[in-house]
Amino acid sequence: MTRLFLRFCLTLLLMLGLTNCARETIIVQEVVCPQPYAVAPPCPSPSDKNLVSVPPKATAIKPRPISDKPLIIIDPGHGGKDLGAVSLSKPVYQEKNLNLASARLLEGFLKNQGYRTIMTRSDDSFLTLEERAELAKAKKGQLFISIHYNSAPSRNAEGIEVFYFDSDKEKERTQDSKAMAQAVLDKVIAATGAASRGVKHGNYSVIRNTTSMPAILIEGGFMTNEKEMEKLKDPQYLKKLTLGMAQGIDQYVQSKRKEKK
Ligand SMILES: [Zn+2]
């Protein structure tokens, strides 16, 4: 898989004479997650804005328009000294790594769909919750998704839930966040067959303080449920899950566009 991916990147490099994909490869190799999560995200397609930012040669393909799709901030929860949830069975999996691996996959899928993305962290660094929201606003993000995995005292707790912040002062943002949460939940459940715990209000700092954009927080499954953890260890399952997230975000964006027409 990794060899195939490298060959694909090399071919792209030779064809386009660009370096972004190589950079992507290096980042992938630096993944600090446990082995099953060292999954390479899909290589950005040639239509990716970053790739075409290099001046084209005289005979090169004509420049493509810059994507008019919204800038999406992807927030892999926890990081550094903050491990987040941990699995009960050994080897012990840490939520911070699972979040980062998922965020990278989501980033790849979104880029392939023409979205611009920024990650609040792209390695195992620690950021406060306030720093995450500040970064999202400073970068002028237009949508925000925070990725987490769950834990509970009961080992039977299972399923996926998506949170949005309910604010009387920000009616439109609340409505938009709720619509995005529902679209993401629907697609993720369809993609994985996991149990749905629904769309819920959540008073979490990152979705409360990202005041200038619709924001959601997804809990993608319970690390304390042995059956669910087994699924989460499988890179193929994680791909389905994150592809579902990307499809949900895209569906929300498309429906907003139709509303405006
Ligand atoms: Zn978490």
Side-chain angles (χ1 to χ4, degrees):
M1 176 65 196
T2 311
R3 202 172 298 162
L4 261 178
F5 174 72
L6 285 173
R7 197 178 300 161
F8 174 62
C9 288
L10 201 61
T11 314
L12 251 187
L13 276 175
L14 290 173
M15 283 169 63
L16 302 171
L18 303 176
T19 56
N20 296 51
C21 199
R23 204 180 306 143
E24 196 73 29
T25 308
I26 291 162
I27 292 168
V28 169
Q29 286 171 343
E30 283 172 358
V31 170
V32 288
C33 316
Q35 262 310 308
Y37 297 135
V39 184
C43 196
S45 74
S47 62
D48 182 351
K49 178 182 155 272
N50 294 329
L51 286 179
V52 295
S53 62
V54 175
K57 292 175 189 162
T59 53
I61 316 150
K62 62 180 173 186
R64 291 161 199 267
I66 292 172
S67 171
D68 61 346
K69 292 186 174 180
L71 170 61
I72 299 169
I73 308 292
I74 304 170
D75 176 44
H78 312 281
K81 63 184 180 184
D82 176 10
L83 310 183
V86 289
S87 67
L88 299 178
S89 52
K90 291 191 175 169
V92 174
Y93 284 76
Q94 299 173 346
E95 185 197 344
K96 64 173 187 174
N97 294 330
L98 193 48
N99 293 339
L100 182 57
S102 305
R104 285 186 174 163
L105 287 167
L106 175 62
E107 180 187 39
F109 287 128
L110 287 172
K111 281 187 170 177
N112 280 344
Q113 291 179 53
Y115 287 93
R116 296 166 296 132
T117 58
I118 291 178
M119 305 256 279
T120 54
R121 67 176 176 100
S122 50
D123 56 22
D124 187 28
S125 51
F126 173 79
L127 276 93
T128 66
L129 298 172
E130 292 74 21
E131 282 169 339
R132 293 165 197 262
E134 284 310 313
L135 187 141
K137 288 192 282 189
K139 298 285 182 187
K140 299 195 169 17
Q142 292 163 287
L143 296 176
F144 181 91
I145 177 168
S146 188
I147 301 176
H148 288 254
Y149 292 89
N150 233 329
S151 66
S154 164
R155 292 180 175 219
N156 294 325
E158 64 166 341
I160 299 173
E161 54 199 2
V162 185
F163 294 91
Y164 69 99
F165 179 63
D166 190 10
S167 164
D168 284 342
K169 288 179 197 154
E170 306 167 286
K171 284 217 162 64
E172 195 180 341
R173 185 175 94 95
T174 298
Q175 258 178 17
D176 287 347
S177 301
K178 187 179 181 185
M180 178 161 70
Q182 191 66 59
V184 167
L185 182 70
D186 290 348
K187 289 290 182 187
V188 160
I189 296 300
T192 60
S196 171
R197 299 172 66 90
V199 161
K200 300 176 175 177
H201 295 167
N203 189 5
Y204 297 113
S205 172
V206 287
I207 52 173
R208 184 179 64 243
N209 292 324
T210 37
T211 46
S212 51
M213 66 204 86
I216 61 170
L217 183 149
I218 181 165
E219 291 280 2
F222 280 78
M223 297 181 71
T224 44
N225 178 309
E226 221 155 297
K227 271 190 194 160
E228 204 150 47
M229 190 59 229
E230 272 310 306
K231 289 194 283 180
L232 294 170
K233 284 178 189 176
D234 177 2
Q236 292 309 320
Y237 181 83
L238 217 55
K239 277 189 181 174
K240 282 187 205 168
L241 182 64
T242 50
L243 179 59
M245 293 180 202
Q247 289 171 333
I249 290 171
D250 189 53
Q251 192 188 59
Y252 163 75
V253 171
Q254 301 301 338
S255 66
K256 283 301 284 182
R257 284 188 171 181
K258 276 185 199 155
E259 262 177 40
K260 281 179 186 166
K261 277 180 185 171

